[in-house]
Amino acid sequence: MRLKRAALLLSLGLVAAPALRAEYVVLRSGQRLKVTGYQLLGDKYRLQMGGSTVEIAAEDVVTIEPEEVFTPLPAKPIVKAPYRELVEAAAARYRVDADLITSVIAVESNFDPKALSPKNARGLMQLLPETAERLGVQNIYDPQENIDAGTRYLRELLQMYNNDLALTLAAYNAGPERVQQYGRVPPFAETLSYVRRVKRSYEKSKSKASAKKPASPGAMAATSRHRTGQSP
C-alpha cells in the first residue's frame, strides 16, 4: 500500500525529501539506500544520492521509508545554588570558601531568607539578633546583609580555631563559649548532628568541584582535623 502511494506521488515528478530529512530505499537484498530524492520512471526508480543519480529496477524495491528524525536533547543548564552570586561576593570579601558558606546556609535555613528558629536565629545564615547587631546588620532578613554578616562571623571563628572546621561549625551552632567550656565539640545532639551535616555537604561539594577548578586564590580553607576526645 505504501509503495503504491509512493508510486502515485512519484509519477508527478522528482520527489525531494523535506529539509533536514532523507529517505531510505529498502531493497530486496536487504540493502538500505539513503536518498535525497527519487523518481519512478516506468519500471525503474531514479534515485538521487549525494549529487548523483542511480537507476534501479522497481521490482527490487521493497519499500521507501522516511529517515528517523532525532532532535538532540538541549544541554542541561548549569544550575547554581540559590544566592550563589551573593555567596561568592562575600567569599571574596572575607576570603572564606564559597562552598562552605553555601553548606552552612543549606543546613541552617535550607535557603529560606525568612527562616526563624525556636532560638530566635533568623535569615539564611540564622543569625541571632545580638550577633547581627554586633556585625552592623540593618535588616537581618535581607539576603545580602545576612550572608555578608554570616560569612564575616564564619571568618572570625575560622581564625579563632585555626581553620579547624569541626570547632568552627560547633561554635557557629552552639557558641564559642560552649566550645571553650568543653575544649572540643560540645556533646549536644543538635550540635553533633549539625557539624556532621555541614561537613558532609561541604565535602560533597568540594569533591564535585575538585575536577573543575581549584578554590579561589587566598580563600580560607577549613580543615577537618580531629583532636583527642573530639567528636565529628
Side-chain angles (χ1 to χ4, degrees), residues 104-115:
V104 169
I105 294 173
V107 174
E108 287 284 359
S109 66
N110 195 28
F111 302 100
D112 179 4
K114 300 298 183 184

Side-chain angles (χ1 to χ4, degrees), residues 207-223:
S207 65
K208 287 182 179 179
S210 61
K212 297 179 182 178
K213 61 179 180 179
S216 302
M220 181 172 288
T223 61

Side-chain angles (χ1 to χ4, degrees), residues 25-214:
V25 174
V26 183
L27 306 182
R28 293 188 184 279
S29 64
Q31 186 177 6
R32 298 174 80 240
L33 305 176
K34 187 175 183 179
V35 302
T36 55
Y38 45 81
Q39 185 178 16
L40 180 63
L41 301 173
D43 60 353
K44 294 183 179 181
Y45 274 111
R46 179 175 294 167
L47 309 178
Q48 183 177 339
M49 302 171 62
S52 61
T53 59
V54 176
E55 291 187 355
I56 60 174
E59 63 181 11
D60 290 333
V61 176
V62 176
T63 186
I64 298 174
E65 301 174 342
E67 181 183 38
E68 294 293 336
V69 179
F70 296 99
T71 303
L73 292 175
K76 290 184 178 181
I78 298 174
V79 180
K80 290 188 175 182
Y83 306 105
R84 188 66 184 183
E85 280 135 10
L86 296 179
V87 167
E88 288 177 349
R93 185 176 301 115
Y94 300 112
R95 294 173 50 234
V96 175
D97 194 325
D99 290 326
L100 176 58
I101 302 168
T102 298
S103 296
V104 169
I105 294 173
V107 174
E108 287 284 359
S109 66
N110 195 28
F111 302 100
D112 179 4
K114 300 298 183 184
L116 175 64
S117 79
K119 294 182 179 178
N120 204 29
R122 305 176 185 186
L124 289 168
M125 296 191 74
Q126 289 291 276
L127 300 175
L128 291 171
E130 54 269 29
T131 303
E133 183 179 4
R134 178 176 67 81
L135 295 169
V137 175
Q138 300 297 314
N139 180 0
I140 199 169
Y141 290 113
D142 177 72
Q144 183 175 2
E145 286 196 72
N146 195 285
I147 290 173
D148 184 272
T151 301
R152 183 145 45 111
Y153 185 41
L154 261 181
R155 178 172 174 79
E156 290 178 2
L157 295 174
L158 284 165
Q159 291 176 324
M160 182 182 299
Y161 299 109
N162 195 28
N163 293 346
D164 187 297
L165 181 56
L167 294 184
T168 295
L169 295 175
Y172 195 95
N173 177 262
E177 63 282 354
R178 291 299 190 185
V179 173
Q180 183 177 357
Q181 177 185 352
Y182 289 94
R184 59 186 177 87
V185 175
F188 308 142
E190 177 189 334
T191 302
L192 293 170
S193 173
Y194 174 83
V195 172
R196 289 193 190 100
R197 289 164 62 202
V198 176
K199 283 177 60 179
R200 185 163 51 242
S201 173
Y202 180 52
E203 288 163 2
K204 183 178 180 181
S205 66
K206 296 317 292 179
S207 65
K208 287 182 179 179
S210 61
K212 297 179 182 178
K213 61 179 180 179

